[in-house]
Amino acid sequence: MEFKRTCRKVLSRAAALLPHPLNAAVHRRLLGARIHPTARIGLFTAMDSNEVVLEAGARVGGARIPDIIWHSTGICLWHEWAKIELLPKGEKYKLPTPNKEYGAGIFTLARQEEPNMAAYTDPEVAWIQKKKHYAGMILKSPDPKRLEEILAMYYPRFAQDFLAHVPMA
């Protein structure tokens, strides 16, 4: 059931990008294909209005998701992906035992060239991003409620301290 819910959410977003008449049909067809939720699906519409799947393949996520997973579980998805790809034929992959911690991340474009993150000192801060005009950090904790508390405190502070945006024209 969780698989179907995840697929529905991911594919609804993908199908919403297509012209209206194809949305429902493409959505139903892809759900029927039982595409795994980690799949990256590139959908495009050809000149003749037929849908074209340009890319469909499992991959490591983006937007610092692999880093959050690594800091909270100790498992590097990139390393594990490489191990799977390089397994000798017939050998089974064994997932390492993950740490039992939860992870979260908060990231934004920053007004400052080098944002000062010194005021964010909670022990749950596992990593601070050091990149020009970006403010971000990864948090980890054995208690998910604690991460929610920290995020609730940090969101408004991040907006006040760093948030950069382009004014609407």
Side-chain angles (χ1 to χ4, degrees):
M1 190 60 178
E2 182 60 34
F3 170 84
K4 284 250 183 196
R5 252 189 312 229
T6 304
C7 277
R8 233 178 236 113
K9 189 161 61 172
V10 170
L11 296 177
S12 293
R13 289 182 185 146
L17 300 174
L18 297 171
H20 181 70
L22 295 178
N23 286 354
V26 170
H27 186 263
R28 277 194 304 276
R29 229 175 281 148
L30 289 172
L31 276 177
R34 293 195 49 84
I35 293 174
H36 193 274
T38 62
R40 160 52 167 105
I41 303 164
L43 295 173
F44 297 89
T45 304
M47 295 290 282
D48 62 2
S49 296
N50 288 317
E51 67 273 10
V52 177
V53 176
L54 181 66
E55 173 190 6
R59 66 179 181 143
V60 173
R64 296 274 179 213
I65 293 169
D67 300 320
I68 294 168
I69 292 170
W70 178 53
H71 282 282
S72 61
T73 67
I75 295 174
C76 176
L77 295 181
W78 293 103
H79 293 171
E80 299 310 309
W81 183 15
K83 287 177 191 175
I84 290 167
E85 291 295 323
L86 298 172
L87 270 178
K89 191 173 179 102
E91 196 172 312
K92 293 205 182 258
Y93 169 77
K94 185 178 181 315
L95 180 69
T97 304
N99 299 335
K100 301 210 183 228
E101 291 194 284
Y102 295 87
I106 180 169
F107 304 93
T108 186
L109 289 173
R111 294 183 305 274
Q112 307 85 349
E113 184 173 350
E114 293 184 19
N116 182 352
M117 306 287 288
Y120 297 86
T121 59
D122 288 289
E124 291 81 5
V125 175
W127 177 83
I128 293 178
Q129 182 167 339
K130 292 184 182 0
K131 187 175 181 181
K132 288 184 179 186
H133 290 288
Y134 284 91
M137 65 179 59
I138 293 174
L139 308 165
K140 69 176 184 175
S141 173
D143 180 10
K145 289 191 184 325
R146 175 66 182 143
L147 290 180
E148 290 176 18
E149 289 170 10
I150 294 171
L151 289 173
M153 286 187 311
Y154 282 5
Y155 284 144
R157 287 175 57 195
F158 253 61
Q160 183 177 351
D161 294 349
F162 309 118
L163 182 63
H165 62 88
V166 178
M168 298 293 282

